[in-house]
Amino acid sequence: MKRNIVIATVAAMALVGGGTATALAVSGDDESSAAAKKSSVQLKDNDRDDRDDRDDRDDRADDRADDRNDDRDDAAENTAEVKAAKVTAADAIKAALAGTSGTAVSAELDDEDNGGLVWDVDVLKGDTWHSVQVDPGTGKVLGSHTEKDDDGDAKRVAATLKGASVNAEDAAKAAAGKGAVTSVDLDDDGTAKAWEVETSGAKGAESDWKVDLGSGKVTADKSDAAGDSEDDSDDNDSDD
């Protein structure tokens, strides 16, 4: 249930000036974080500059080639991000909670549009969400901003975590044996009662896992695998 939040102008100005700001923010899909300007980890743009863009064709071989190129690009990007991040997901969550009290609900290694890499950790306290940016190179908190809960997410989180003994940091540590953890998120939409964790392998291959809220047991996320198979099947359907 990762929440996309846009930093308010006052927060952005304060962060550029070198301070840590907290300000009321609004929901949005295009997150532009001033905190990334302060990140010690800056990544080069590995996009292909549309080299693989082609005119629309019905040739399936070309479509499969494009998919393979996209997969290679994604794997290369994942490898670069994991290699650059010296701070683990568990440590990023710990750092975020050290300065912002509450319950960590998600953490994601995020590359911003300006090339900066940050850990974006969502912390819930009462009915207020805190989005905390942590430097993946140093573990320092770069900044934070807040948003009031207006859509009932806080209640769902509380209900899902009621009686849970495994928190987000625990889940990240539990799944670390499966690869480099790149995101931790609470599954509060279904009945899984688990943390959803994504890892990246040595060659950038992504894997999805469930970490049980009670036992901490790590299992493969078969629901995502099934969903991917259905998507692939849909993509291969021919247009009549």
Side-chain angles (χ1 to χ4, degrees):
M1 60 164 294
K2 190 78 180 107
R3 301 171 64 87
N4 292 320
I5 305 172
V6 178
I7 291 182
T9 302
V10 62
M13 293 176 64
L15 287 169
V16 170
T20 298
T22 300
L24 183 64
V26 295
S27 297
D29 292 328
D30 183 14
E31 183 172 333
S32 178
S33 174
K37 296 179 181 178
K38 290 289 185 178
S39 176
S40 67
V41 181
Q42 298 291 318
L43 299 177
K44 294 181 179 179
D45 187 0
N46 292 322
D47 290 341
R48 289 176 172 267
D49 298 326
D50 299 329
R51 285 180 296 171
D52 293 317
D53 288 347
R54 300 181 177 90
D55 294 335
D56 291 338
R57 302 170 184 172
D58 293 330
D59 191 337
R60 292 184 181 179
D62 287 341
D63 291 338
R64 288 195 293 270
D66 286 342
D67 289 341
R68 286 194 296 271
N69 286 335
D70 289 341
D71 289 342
R72 283 196 294 268
D73 287 345
D74 289 343
E77 182 178 355
N78 292 338
T79 300
E81 291 178 359
V82 169
K83 184 178 180 179
K86 308 303 181 184
V87 175
T88 66
D91 287 339
I93 293 169
K94 184 176 181 179
L97 291 176
T100 302
S101 62
T103 302
V105 178
S106 66
E108 181 179 8
L109 189 60
D110 188 20
D111 57 324
E112 301 292 307
D113 292 339
N114 54 29
L117 191 67
V118 298
W119 278 108
D120 194 356
V121 183
D122 281 345
V123 178
L124 179 62
K125 183 177 182 180
D127 62 351
T128 301
W129 289 94
H130 300 260
S131 182
V132 184
Q133 289 77 41
V134 177
D135 192 311
T138 65
K140 294 181 179 180
V141 173
L142 299 170
S144 66
H145 55 281
T146 64
E147 179 189 43
K148 284 292 184 181
D149 182 76
D150 295 325
D151 50 16
D153 283 346
K155 291 183 179 179
R156 292 206 307 274
V157 168
T160 302
L161 290 177
K162 185 177 181 179
S165 57
V166 177
N167 59 30
E169 184 181 346
D170 295 332
K173 290 179 179 178
K178 304 295 185 180
V181 175
T182 55
S183 74
V184 180
D185 201 0
L186 180 65
D187 178 12
D188 68 337
D189 296 325
T191 58
K193 293 293 184 181
W195 292 98
E196 297 177 329
V197 182
E198 187 173 278
T199 62
S200 180
K203 296 183 179 180
E206 295 180 341
S207 299
D208 297 299
W209 310 91
K210 295 279 191 182
V211 180
D212 188 88
L213 290 176
S215 66
K217 182 180 179 180
V218 181
T219 56
D221 189 347
K222 297 180 180 180
S223 61
D224 276 3
D228 291 342
S229 297
E230 291 177 3
D231 291 341
D232 291 342
S233 176
D234 292 340
D235 291 339
N236 290 330
D237 288 343
S238 58
D239 296 329
D240 295 333

